[in-house]
Amino acid sequence: MFRCKSLLPAAGRWLLVLLAFNLMASSLPAQLTQEEVLSSIRRGTQFLFSKQKEDGSWSPPALLVHDDGGLGSTSLAIMALLNCGFSPEEPRVKKGLDWIRNKPDSKHTYAASLKLMALAAAKQPEKDLTRIQLLAAHIETGQNARGDWGYSIPSSGGEGAFGDNSNTQFAVLALRDAVHAGARVDQATWDKILKHFTDGQFNDGSWGYRSQGVHRQHNSGYASMTVAGMACYVIGKSMVAEEDKLKADGAPDCCGDQEKDDHLENAIGWMARHFSVESNPPQGGYFLFYYLYGLERAGRLSGIRFFGEHDWYREGASFLVSSQSKQNGSWFFDDDNLPPSLNTSFCLLFLSKGMSPVLFNKLKYGKPDPVNSNETLTAGWRKHRNDIHRLTEWITGLEKWPKLMSWQVVDINKAVKNNSLDDLLQAPILYIAGDKRIDMPDTHVKMLRDYLDQGGIIFATRNCESKEFGDSFNELVDRIYDGEGLKLERLPADHPVYRAEYLIHPDRVNLQGVDYGCRTTIIYSPDDLGCLWELWNRNAPPNRTVKVSQMITEANQVGANVAAYATGREPPQKNLDPIAIETTGNETKIERGLLQVARLKHSGSWDTAPLALHNLLVALNEAVGLTAKTDSVVLAPSEEALARYPIVYTHGRSAFQLSDAEISRLRRYLDNGGFLFADACCGNPVFDQSFREMVKQLYPDKELERIPANHPLFTAQVGHDLEQVRRRQPPAGREAGIDSSDVVVGEPFLEAINFNGRLTIIYSKYDISCALQKQSSISCAGYIPEDAVRIGVNVILYALLQDYEFPETAQD
C-alpha cells in the first residue's frame, strides 16, 4: 500500500532552501500577453451581452438607415460572439440567431450581407443552408454590371450604376461564407468581382471608396478601403479558376512562365508605407475600428503577418487592449459617431479571428534585395503563389478540424535579423518549397534546427522536378543535423502519416523523412504537391479531366495527413507570449539555492527528448515560483556525482540494460534518499519491458504498483488537481485510421516502487517526455502536452514533499 508519510531529509532540505530563495526578476519592457487579449475579449463580450434587448436583438444606430431596424447590428454582434467561442446554442446567442432568422431579407447590402455571415458563422446547416442559399442569390441581384455593390438590393441600374468598395466588401465576404457553407454562387459573379478589384486599384497599390468612371475619387485611396480591396482580391482569386494547362500525358503543367501579378504585392507595399493601428491613414481616426476589422481580414486571408516591419496583429491587439474602456469593456471613438456596441463587435472580431490557429508558415528564403529589403533576389520560394493557401482552405473545410485556420509567410531573413524564433513558432508546420537552389547561411540553418527542437515540423516539396532544389534540400538536412548522420529516407509503410487523416497506400506517394527524437521532424516530397494544391478551387474549371481531379484530391489528402500527423487536428492558438529558448548543458556545479535535476543516461535512446526536462523545470518555476535550474547535468548510473542530486530523470524508446555495477550504484542512490522519475517515450513497449526488468534488478522482491487515484500526488495539496487528465491511445495496425478523438479521459496511470514508506521510483508507461518536448504526434500513446506538464510538475513537487504528512483522509 502507498502511504504519504515518509522521510526524505535531502529533498526536504532542498525544498526549504528553494522556498526561502528569491531571485530578483530582470526589468523588461511590458509586452502584450495572451491572457491580456483573452481577458479583453471576455470583457468585450460581457459588454455586448449587456446591450442585448429582451427580444435578442441590438438597437440600430440612429444614423445608419441601411441597418434595417437593427438587423445589421444584431448580425454583427452575433458574429462577434460566435467567433469569440460562444456556442450557437448558448441561450443569449440562440435568441439573437432566432431573431435574425425571423427577420425578412433586407433590401440593404450591409444588413443582408451581415445576416448571411451570421448564419454561416453559426454552422448549423440543418437550420440555415436553405436560407443561406436564398440569401446569397438575393445578394447577387445587387451586383452592378461593373462588379460592385451599392446600398440597395437589387441593383438600381445597368452599365451606368456605380457602387462603393465598402458595400462591395461586405457582399463579397457574405458570398464567400455562403460558398464555404455549401451554397452555390454563380461563376460570373466571381468573375466580375475579380475584374472590379483588379481594374479599380490605384497605381500606388491602394483602393479608394469609389474607383471607377466619373465616380473615381482622387488618385490614391486610404487604409480601410485598401485592406478591403486586398481581402476581396484574394477571395476573387480563390474563386476564379483558370483552365488547366496539360502535359502530353494528361497531367497538369504548372511550370510554364507565370503571368506577373503585382496587385497584392503593391497593396502590401502601400500598407507598409502608411501603416497605423491608431488611425485610418490618411484620413485619421474616421471609422477606426471598422478599418481594424478590415485589417484583420486582409492580413489573415493573404497570409501576411508583417506589413513592412509592422506585426499587424500584435500592434493592433496592443492598441485595442489599451484603449478598451476600463469601466464597461466597450470601445468607443469620438470621430466616427458609431455606437459602442458596433465598434465593440468590430474589435472583438479583430481580436478573436486574429487569434485563429496558424496551420502553416510558408518560408520566404533567399538573399534580400539590396534595394527592397522586403523582397528576395530570387522568387523560387513562391513558384506556386497559392499552394499552401489553397491547401489550408481545403483542410479547414474538413470535419473535426477547427473551422477557422490560417497560414502565413515567414521571412527567415527578418527572423534571424531580429533573433526571433517566435516568427517560425507561430505555426506547427514550416512549409518549404521552390524550384531553385536553397542557399542559407549558418545562422538560418541554426534557426531551423531550433525550430525543430522546439516542436516544429518541416514539410517540403520540390516544385517543377527541380534538381537544384532537391539536391540543395538534401544538403540542408545534412546541415540541420550536422554530424549526427541523419539523412532523408523513404518513410516506411507502417508510418502513421499514411493513416493520420486518410488511408493512403504508401506505394502511391513518395514521402521521405528524418526521424529524430520522438517523431519524424522533416517530411519531404520530391513530387510537386504544391502545383496540385494551387489548382484546387471551390469552383473548378468546367472542362477539368477526371485524372486531374483525382491527382488534386490525392495531393490534398497527403497534405492533410501531414498536417494531422503534426498537430493531431488541434493546431495551437496563435501565441503572443515570448518564447524563451535555452539549451541544455553539462554543468556539474550545484548553484546555491537552485534545485537541479540530473538526467540519467543509459544504452536505450536516453536523449530522445533532450528538452523535455528543461521544459518541465521551466513550467515548475512558473507554476509555483521555485528556482529550479533549467540546465541539467547528464550522468551515468555508475557515477558518484549522482548522490549530489535529489532527483534524476530518464526516458527512452528502445531496449536498454544496466551493468551489475550500475544497478548497485543506482540502488545505493535510491536507498540513500534519491528519487527516479521515468517514462516510456510514446508508450514504447520495448523500452517499457527493459525498464521493468531494470526495476526487478533493483528490487528483486518488489513490483511496480499503480499509484491509487486518491493519492496526494494527484491533488492540489501537492500542485495541480489531476483527477481528470487526457491521454492519447491510438489504435494499432497499418489499416487503422488515427483519430484525434482517440483520447482517454480519466485518472492518471502512474506506477511506483514503495521502499520503506517512501516512493523511490515513479514511472509512466505512457508518454510524458515527448509531450514535454512538444513533439508528440497524433500516433503517440501518451498524455497530451498540457496534462503531461501538470503531471510532471506534481511528480517533482511530490518528490520534494514526501516527508510532509498529508491529511490521513488522502493517504491510501
Side-chain angles (χ1 to χ4, degrees):
M1 296 292 291
F2 292 108
R3 300 194 61 81
C4 303
K5 183 177 179 181
S6 63
L7 296 176
L8 184 53
R13 286 195 298 271
W14 269 105
L15 183 62
L16 291 174
V17 171
L18 289 168
L19 293 176
F21 192 83
N22 180 34
L23 293 177
M24 297 297 292
S26 302
S27 177
L28 296 174
Q31 294 188 5
L32 181 70
T33 67
Q34 199 155 343
E35 180 51 41
E36 286 176 313
V37 174
L38 296 176
S39 176
S40 178
I41 290 173
R42 286 192 293 269
R43 295 178 62 234
T45 57
Q46 290 167 6
F47 172 79
L48 270 192
F49 279 130
S50 75
K51 295 300 179 182
Q52 188 177 24
K53 295 162 64 177
E54 183 61 30
D55 63 1
S57 69
W58 276 259
S59 298
L63 300 178
L64 299 182
V65 295
H66 47 268
D67 192 46
D68 201 1
L71 178 59
S73 297
T74 300
S75 299
L76 189 67
I78 290 296
M79 281 172 56
L81 293 168
L82 289 168
N83 277 282
C84 288
F86 286 91
S87 166
E89 295 301 323
E90 195 278 338
R92 296 165 294 181
V93 176
K94 184 177 185 300
K95 184 180 283 189
L97 281 167
D98 288 342
W99 186 89
I100 292 169
R101 290 179 177 119
N102 291 328
K103 284 283 286 184
D105 291 346
S106 174
K107 294 183 179 180
H108 296 108
T109 301
Y110 282 117
S113 299
L114 285 165
K115 177 180 179 178
L116 192 157
M117 292 161 71
L119 296 178
K123 295 180 172 62
Q124 295 181 313
E126 70 283 357
K127 292 183 178 180
D128 297 320
L129 183 54
T130 299
R131 284 190 183 92
I132 290 172
Q133 180 64 77
L134 293 172
L135 193 49
H138 173 62
I139 293 171
E140 283 188 275
T141 67
Q143 188 179 34
N144 296 318
R146 296 177 182 270
D148 59 359
W149 275 260
Y151 282 93
S152 299
I153 300 175
S155 172
S156 60
E159 289 291 335
F162 288 93
D164 61 78
N165 285 335
S166 181
N167 275 292
T168 301
Q169 73 162 324
F170 278 86
V172 173
L173 291 167
L175 294 178
R176 174 184 182 270
D177 283 356
V179 171
H180 284 223
R184 183 183 180 279
V185 174
D186 194 278
Q187 184 61 50
T189 301
W190 295 117
D191 291 339
K192 288 193 288 185
I193 288 169
L194 183 58
K195 187 174 189 306
H196 166 77
F197 283 98
T198 300
D199 294 347
Q201 188 177 23
F202 292 116
N203 292 334
D204 64 359
S206 66
W207 279 271
Y209 181 65
R210 287 194 176 98
S211 51
Q212 290 185 345
V214 296
H215 294 277
R216 186 179 179 113
Q217 298 174 337
H218 312 296
N219 291 311
S220 184
Y222 41 94
S224 59
M225 289 297 94
T226 298
V227 293
M230 289 177 64
C232 292
Y233 177 78
V234 170
I235 292 169
K237 289 286 285 186
S238 71
M239 296 293 179
V240 175
E242 299 178 356
E243 292 297 322
D244 296 328
K245 298 175 183 177
L246 301 180
K247 300 177 183 177
D249 63 357
D253 182 1
C254 306
C255 295
D257 293 334
Q258 294 180 328
E259 294 182 9
K260 192 172 179 61
D261 183 356
D262 289 332
H263 294 285
L264 186 59
E265 295 300 324
N266 290 342
I268 294 169
W270 189 93
M271 284 297 300
R273 296 191 299 274
H274 298 85
F275 187 85
S276 174
V277 295
E278 299 181 12
S279 67
N280 178 9
Q283 292 187 310
Y286 194 59
F287 289 144
L288 172 61
F289 300 124
Y290 163 88
Y291 151 60
L292 290 179
Y293 171 44
L295 177 64
E296 176 276 324
R297 290 195 307 274
R300 180 169 51 82
L301 293 177
S302 59
I304 298 298
R305 182 180 172 192
F306 291 94
F307 289 103
E309 300 299 323
H310 299 282
D311 184 329
W312 63 264
Y313 184 77
R314 291 197 188 205
E315 291 188 30
S318 296
F319 170 71
L320 290 179
V321 169
S322 64
S323 61
Q324 186 178 24
S325 169
K326 302 296 187 292
Q327 285 71 38
N328 61 17
S330 70
W331 281 271
F332 181 75
F333 201 77
D334 290 334
D335 289 356
D336 58 21
N337 295 316
L338 294 179
S341 59
L342 208 61
N343 278 332
T344 299
S345 297
F346 286 138
C347 295
L348 288 174
L349 284 165
F350 177 98
L351 291 173
S352 62
K353 298 182 84 169
M355 286 282 282
S356 62
V358 181
L359 184 58
F360 294 99
N361 269 334
K362 182 173 182 176
L363 191 68
K364 179 179 182 180
Y365 60 87
K367 292 183 179 179
D369 188 325
V371 177
N372 182 357
S373 61
N374 290 321
E375 293 296 330
T376 54
L377 290 176
T378 60
W381 66 273
R382 62 177 182 193
K383 176 63 177 178
H384 304 314
R385 289 174 178 264
N386 297 306
D387 48 6
I388 214 66
H389 176 187
R390 300 280 172 83
L391 177 63
T392 303
E393 189 171 342
W394 189 81
I395 295 174
T396 301
L398 300 177
E399 289 186 36
K400 301 179 181 179
W401 284 85
K403 297 307 179 186
L404 183 62
M405 296 188 293
S406 57
W407 65 283
Q408 292 178 162
V409 171
V410 59
D411 188 336
I412 195 167
N413 292 306
K414 286 186 177 180
V416 170
K417 177 182 176 182
N418 299 327
N419 193 28
S420 179
L421 183 60
D422 283 12
D423 289 357
L424 273 63
L425 289 170
Q426 288 294 320
I429 307 170
L430 182 65
Y431 173 65
I432 305 178
D435 65 341
K436 300 289 190 297
R437 179 176 176 79
I438 305 173
D439 286 312
M440 288 190 183
D442 291 342
T443 51
H444 292 48
V445 177
K446 181 182 183 303
M447 181 164 281
L448 294 180
R449 173 60 186 265
D450 287 343
Y451 170 75
L452 295 175
D453 286 346
Q454 287 297 311
I457 279 183
I458 289 176
F459 182 25
T461 65
R462 180 178 65 156
N463 298 153
C464 305
E465 301 179 351
S466 168
K467 187 176 186 301
E468 285 182 88
F469 180 89
D471 291 346
S472 62
F473 187 76
N474 275 274
E475 293 168 11
L476 179 63
V477 171
D478 291 341
R479 294 175 65 198
I480 289 173
Y481 291 111
D482 183 34
E484 298 183 59
L486 297 176
K487 305 284 186 183
L488 286 170
E489 296 181 0
R490 184 82 179 244
L491 296 182
D494 60 351
H495 195 285
V497 76
Y498 296 117
R499 54 194 176 103
E501 180 74 28
Y502 298 93
L503 291 177
I504 297 174
H505 198 286
D507 292 341
R508 291 188 62 84
V509 294
N510 182 1
L511 290 180
Q512 303 170 18
V514 172
D515 278 348
Y516 182 81
C518 300
R519 64 177 178 179
T520 303
T521 56
I522 300 175
I523 297 177
Y524 170 63
S525 169
D527 299 324
D528 195 351
L529 297 176
C531 159
L532 297 167
W533 297 335
E534 187 167 53
L535 290 178
W536 178 79
N537 195 292
R538 293 189 183 274
N539 296 307
N543 297 324
R544 174 161 286 169
T545 66
V546 172
K547 177 178 180 176
V548 172
S549 296
Q550 289 176 339
M551 292 178 68
I552 292 171
T553 298
E554 289 177 357
N556 284 344
Q557 289 178 349
V558 172
N561 275 31
V562 172
Y565 173 75
T567 68
R569 300 193 194 94
E570 297 172 355
Q573 196 175 46
K574 182 181 288 185
N575 184 34
L576 298 178
D577 302 331
I579 300 170
I581 306 301
E582 298 181 38
T583 57
T584 55
N586 285 316
E587 189 74 28
T588 58
K589 178 183 176 182
I590 298 284
E591 296 187 24
R592 182 181 299 275
L594 292 175
L595 166 67
Q596 194 170 41
V597 179
R599 291 194 292 158
L600 194 69
K601 65 180 178 180
H602 51 75
S603 60
S605 60
W606 62 271
D607 201 26
T608 292
L611 292 176
L613 179 59
H614 163 83
N615 292 339
L616 173 58
L617 294 173
V618 169
L620 180 71
N621 289 341
E622 293 174 348
V624 293
L626 293 183
T627 51
K629 184 173 174 59
T630 55
D631 289 350
S632 47
V633 63
V634 175
L635 298 172
S638 58
E639 295 188 55
E640 291 297 325
L642 206 64
R644 302 168 62 188
Y645 299 88
I647 300 171
V648 294
Y649 158 90
T650 196
H651 62 240
R653 60 180 297 185
S654 59
F656 73 98
Q657 189 173 12
L658 300 186
S659 67
D660 291 343
E662 289 174 321
I663 289 290
S664 176
R665 179 67 191 84
L666 184 57
R667 174 63 188 263
R668 181 151 48 97
Y669 164 77
L670 296 172
D671 288 351
N672 289 335
F675 175 84
L676 172 62
F677 176 32
D679 73 287
C681 291
C682 288
N684 186 278
V686 177
F687 176 87
D688 178 69
Q689 181 179 349
S690 292
F691 189 85
R692 293 179 188 279
E693 290 171 356
M694 180 199 76
V695 171
K696 196 65 179 174
Q697 288 178 280
L698 288 168
Y699 298 98
D701 57 339
K702 290 184 175 293
E703 298 280 349
L704 283 166
E705 297 181 40
R706 182 171 182 178
I707 303 175
N710 64 347
H711 193 280
L713 169 63
F714 301 134
T715 69
Q717 294 180 82
V718 168
H720 298 288
D721 182 352
L722 300 177
E723 182 179 357
Q724 297 283 294
V725 294
R726 295 157 293 174
R727 173 169 52 81
R728 292 195 189 282
Q729 191 62 54
R734 285 176 51 181
E735 300 304 316
I738 305 175
D739 197 316
S740 60
S741 62
D742 295 326
V743 174
V744 177
V745 179
E747 60 198 45
F749 190 104
L750 296 180
E751 297 171 278
I753 288 293
N754 188 325
F755 179 72
N756 290 340
R758 178 174 66 86
L759 304 190
T760 60
I761 298 173
I762 291 181
Y763 171 65
S764 173
K765 67 177 183 179
Y766 299 112
D767 177 78
I768 291 177
S769 293
C770 290
L772 291 173
Q773 177 86 10
K774 303 173 185 175
Q775 285 191 349
S776 59
S777 70
I778 192 172
S779 61
C780 186
Y783 297 98
I784 69 168
E786 295 85 351
D787 289 343
V789 170
R790 295 165 63 225
I791 293 170
V793 165
N794 275 34
V795 169
I796 298 296
L797 288 175
Y798 184 77
L800 298 171
L801 284 166
Q802 285 199 81
D803 56 347
Y804 171 76
E805 186 164 350
F806 293 95
E808 291 294 326
T809 55
Q811 285 188 5
D812 293 327

